Amino acid sequence: MIKLVKVLHFVGLIMLLVGIGLYWQSDIGQQVSGMLVIALLIGVGTLIMSPLPVALVIEWAKKQSPNSGSKE
């Protein structure tokens, strides 16, 4: 499960960087269709990236749970 989330995080990061690159390096952002493409790349890229930190926190919490009862 975590491997799939890591792959999706990488794909989202690539989409984000492509969207930012199109915005900075081309004139496609001057047209409405170009703005839509750039906004979709950046938005979907960040949306795909977001589950990884949540999955890592949940995995970390599951690892910590057995140790917390032994300290009492």
Side-chain angles (χ1 to χ4, degrees), residues 24-44:
W24 286 105
Q25 299 296 328
S26 69
D27 293 333
I28 195 171
Q30 301 296 321
Q31 302 168 353
V32 175
S33 61
M35 289 179 199
L36 182 64
V37 168
I38 291 171
L40 282 173
L41 281 170
I42 293 173
V44 173

Side-chain angles (χ1 to χ4, degrees), residues 56-72:
L56 290 177
V57 167
I58 290 172
E59 185 178 302
W60 174 78
K62 285 181 181 178
K63 288 180 183 178
Q64 296 298 319
S65 134
N67 295 336
S68 63
S70 63
K71 291 182 180 180
E72 294 180 16

